[in-house]
Amino acid sequence: ANIFAASGKAYEIYGGDQEGAVLYIGTAGNLKVTTVAGDEVTFQGINTGAFFPVHVKKVWATGTSASNIIALW
């Protein structure tokens, strides 16, 4: 059943086929990523010890100065 029809809003439910991880940033810097939606984005000034709550498919070497990055699924 269409449980969202009454609200008139568009929703997208992922069926689990989207692979991506949130990240832990061990050392501060900039972070260039490709999201699970396919967007290439550079985030500026991510702090040391931050959890990065964006579903990421790829971290780029070029454009990324943050380091000690851990992917979490």
Side-chain angles (χ1 to χ4, degrees):
N2 185 351
I3 63 172
F4 300 115
S7 72
K9 295 182 180 179
Y11 291 88
E12 185 170 355
I13 306 295
Y14 292 105
D17 58 348
Q18 305 292 342
E19 285 212 23
V22 297
L23 304 176
Y24 172 81
I25 309 302
T27 305
N30 299 336
L31 184 65
K32 181 178 179 183
V33 299
T34 301
T35 68
V36 294
D39 299 315
E40 289 181 17
V41 183
T42 301
F43 294 89
Q44 304 290 320
I46 306 297
N47 291 326
T48 295
F51 284 92
F52 187 71
V54 175
H55 283 236
V56 172
K57 283 192 333 188
K58 178 179 182 176
V59 175
W60 292 78
T62 302
T64 296
S65 60
S67 61
N68 299 311
I69 299 167
I70 301 171
L72 305 166
W73 283 269

